[in-house]
Amino acid sequence: MIEHLKTFTAGAWRDASGPRYATEYPADGSTVATLHAATADDVNQAVQAAEVARQRPAWANLKPHERATLLHRMAAGIRARDEELAQLQRLDNGKPIKETRALVASAAGTFQFFAAACETLEDRITPSRGDFITMSVHEPLGVVGAITPWNSPIASEAQKLAPALAAGCAVVFKPAEITPRMAIELARIAQQAGVPDGIISVLPGKGSVVGDALVRHPLVKRIAFTGGTAVGMGIARIGAEKLMPTSLELGGKSPTIVCADADLEHAVAGVLYGIFSSSGESCIAGSRAFVHVSVYNEFKSRLLAGVGNLRVGDPASEHTQMGPLVSMSHRASIERYVQIGLDEGGKLLAGGARPAGSMFDKGSYYLPTVIEGLPNRARMCQEEIFGPVLALLPWSDEADLIAQCNDNVYGLAAGIWTRDYKTVWRLGRALQTGTVWVNTYKMFSSSTPFGGVKMSGTGREKGRLGILEYTTQKSYYWGMNESPLAWSST
Ligand code: NAD
């Protein structure tokens, strides 16, 4: 039996009013669920309902500790269903079960973190410059549109929903068309936790229809977007016309630097994890590895041995490290990029093909791929592939290395492998990225802000002050004069 999903819109569980479509399990192409796409009318209804719901006393008058209680309940609601949610997310995007479990745990942690942040967020009494007391208080921005991609749904969704609710906003969600499930389940968990109806709506469907209508809606006062740079730029343009703040978590082409003195065992493990976990479908994938010439050959042979041992297979298996890509069309785009790299003169060291065997026939699988011999200016080293494809580049001169790392439109993350703390400080400060991992890679903490520079985006998610991204500031001047203001009596 194929499940039919209702979605939660404007306080009711129902079918959205657009065409019916099906989601597919990337491992074998089978239908996972059917549901209806939303329309611009659904967007309007959801946003209007959100605007009404957020102003009702039941939401607007909640004290921070009461709002925090709801967020704690949401964390508990996620944990109570953790295995089920991890399995559902695996079916939506084909990520290995171990990864989806980690994403579910991270989502619960995000709600817990923002519950604490919400309770401890302080308004300020500012130094007075007259016979008055000055105060700056944070107020919710209003209705937030949250737009997310398909690669890590529950974690991306939680990173927007938790701080927005903590700030007192209402949220209208537009998950990726092919991975709507986690946003729908979060709405269910929120409702069960006691979040008033209308505060969260979920609108599945096409970005060009649902996402666009959401971004343009006059009552939407902020967009929190994660996705590709081209779409993000379009959203920023519309945001500028509305004078609406947008946070944009966009693409990347992150460099990983292996220095001559690096612990190669650790560096190889980190580079493998950085590019091949999530099958490379990760904005922070370390897709360009710059390895010092003096250790290049040794690093390469250890890396290729590691690649040979990676377990590509059934995402339901506990042992799988790389599942299928999200779709056949995405695999086709990765295959095109590998061909571009080879046409540009790259030498294939590993992968570059689909895995052999009947179990892979129906899924969008692709082998971990390593290519060397390309200059950093090659298209394969410049453009985001969003798949398991690593470019290996030797380096010898530090100034030239920094120039090459920064010679890219993106600026999301970087990795440095060295034993020398001064090298870290020198390189770290020169790299144009939002995150630098030192002797580790792809580690995250709710308490540490995340985001990019250059074409990787603007704004930050996570971190205690992440709530402030969903607030505006209001200033109060409390007059303390014993007599009327002097001006009127002169
Ligand atoms: P995408 O930009 O195609 O889609 C992202 C979301 O935007 C989807 O929900 C989509 O339906 C919606 N959308 C598409 N067109 C729209 C429009 N005109 N108006 C409003 N919404 C629209 O990206 P994708 O293919 O789903 O995801 C992959 C991209 O996401 C990669 O570039 C990756 O680097 C990026 N990403 C970034 C981060 C980060 O935190 N920086 C994290 C994960 C993914």
Side-chain angles (χ1 to χ4, degrees):
M1 266 280 286
I2 292 166
E3 194 177 357
H4 182 73
L5 299 174
K6 303 266 182 201
T7 187
F8 193 52
T9 303
W13 287 97
R14 62 175 175 85
D15 282 331
S17 10
R20 189 178 165 113
Y21 73 100
T23 60
E24 283 180 4
Y25 184 35
D28 61 13
S30 58
T31 299
V32 175
T34 59
L35 72 165
H36 285 261
T39 60
D41 275 353
D42 293 324
V43 172
N44 186 37
Q45 270 185 41
V47 173
Q48 300 273 2
E51 180 64 12
V52 171
R54 80 173 189 94
Q55 293 187 48
R56 283 203 188 104
W59 185 247
N61 293 351
L62 281 181
K63 305 281 181 290
H65 65 283
E66 293 166 336
R67 219 181 286 291
T69 302
L70 291 179
L71 294 175
H72 277 302
R73 281 196 209 130
M74 287 198 66
I78 293 170
R79 290 191 176 116
R81 295 178 55 198
D82 56 0
E83 183 60 21
E84 179 201 352
L85 291 170
Q87 297 291 356
L88 288 173
Q89 164 139 12
R90 168 180 66 81
L91 291 170
D92 252 8
N93 71 356
K95 275 197 168 183
I97 186 65
K98 272 195 166 165
E99 276 191 41
T100 61
R101 281 190 191 125
L103 290 172
V104 170
S106 135
T110 300
F111 280 96
Q112 185 178 322
F113 176 82
F114 279 107
C118 164
E119 263 200 88
T120 54
L121 186 69
E122 288 172 352
D123 294 325
R124 278 186 302 151
I125 295 192
T126 52
S128 176
R129 293 177 73 92
D131 290 333
F132 44 76
I133 293 173
T134 44
M135 240 172 117
S136 171
V137 301
H138 297 101
E139 293 191 346
L141 268 173
V143 178
V144 170
I147 304 179
T148 49
W150 44 259
N151 63 323
S152 304
I154 195 166
S156 298
E157 263 89 296
Q159 271 165 230
K160 293 166 173 49
L161 188 56
L165 295 182
C169 294
V171 179
V172 178
F173 253 113
K174 207 314 262 163
E177 188 182 16
I178 54 176
T179 56
R181 190 64 189 252
M182 288 299 110
I184 292 174
E185 294 310 325
L186 281 177
R188 201 183 316 277
I189 288 166
Q191 192 185 32
Q192 286 161 357
V195 174
D197 289 353
I199 290 295
I200 300 174
S201 280
V202 180
L203 300 165
K206 287 199 183 308
S208 55
V209 177
V210 186
D212 187 65
L214 187 59
V215 175
R216 290 180 193 277
H217 199 290
L219 287 176
V220 170
K221 298 300 180 199
R222 184 189 197 283
I223 291 287
F225 175 77
T226 300
T229 294
V231 176
M233 286 168 72
I235 290 173
R237 272 187 216 109
I238 300 168
E241 279 162 23
K242 287 171 67 181
L243 295 183
M244 166 181 72
T246 51
S247 59
L248 304 168
E249 301 288 349
L250 309 177
K253 192 76 191 175
S254 299
T256 308
I257 299 167
V258 179
C259 296
D261 68 342
D263 179 325
L264 288 193
E265 191 189 347
H266 285 226
V268 166
V271 169
L272 287 171
Y273 177 63
I275 181 65
F276 296 125
S277 58
S278 311
S279 299
E281 293 172 324
S282 166
C283 54
I284 39 153
S287 47
R288 294 182 290 157
F290 291 91
V291 183
H292 193 268
V293 279
S294 63
V295 291
Y296 186 85
N297 285 336
E298 189 185 347
F299 179 88
K300 181 168 81 174
S301 62
R302 288 195 193 199
L303 180 87
L304 293 178
V307 169
N309 288 333
L310 289 177
R311 295 182 298 275
V312 180
D314 178 2
S317 160
E318 303 287 332
H319 302 291
T320 293
Q321 289 165 297
M322 284 177 61
L325 297 163
V326 77
S327 65
M328 295 291 185
S329 61
H330 188 52
R331 179 173 68 181
S333 127
I334 287 159
E335 288 175 332
R336 276 194 299 279
Y337 266 114
V338 170
Q339 192 54 52
I340 288 169
L342 299 179
D343 292 345
E344 287 175 310
K347 181 176 165 206
L348 190 64
L349 299 178
R354 303 170 185 183
S358 57
M359 72 155 289
F360 298 111
D361 284 353
K362 290 186 181 161
S364 37
Y365 289 93
Y366 197 72
L367 286 172
T369 297
V370 183
I371 292 181
E372 71 170 355
L374 287 171
N376 182 57
R377 275 272 103 210
R379 260 187 85 188
M380 216 205 77
C381 300
Q382 287 290 316
E383 297 178 22
E384 185 183 44
I385 299 176
F386 219 59
V389 183
L390 175 69
L392 212 49
L393 301 103
W395 68 275
S396 52
D397 175 72
E398 192 175 294
D400 180 53
L401 165 76
I402 293 166
Q404 290 194 66
C405 289
N406 289 339
D407 180 18
N408 194 281
V409 293
Y410 295 112
L412 196 54
I416 303 173
W417 297 88
T418 176
R419 289 184 164 96
D420 180 19
Y421 71 93
K422 289 181 185 163
T423 302
V424 171
W425 193 238
R426 238 180 11 255
L427 291 178
R429 288 199 297 172
L431 289 168
Q432 296 163 351
T433 63
T435 295
V436 176
W437 281 293
V438 181
N439 294 328
T440 186
Y441 202 85
K442 224 175 163 183
M443 294 294 131
F444 281 116
S445 160
S446 321
S447 55
T448 309
F450 175 76
V453 298
K454 304 201 295 192
M455 298 307 259
S456 290
T458 58
R460 292 292 179 269
E461 289 191 332
K462 306 182 183 216
R464 203 166 65 86
L465 301 182
I467 297 182
L468 299 187
E469 299 250 347
Y470 295 88
T471 63
T472 182
Q473 276 173 284
K474 186 176 277 175
S475 301
Y476 284 86
Y477 288 74
W478 302 73
M480 292 291 149
N481 315 59
E482 293 295 343
S483 38
L485 292 178
W487 182 85
S488 53
S489 59
T490 55

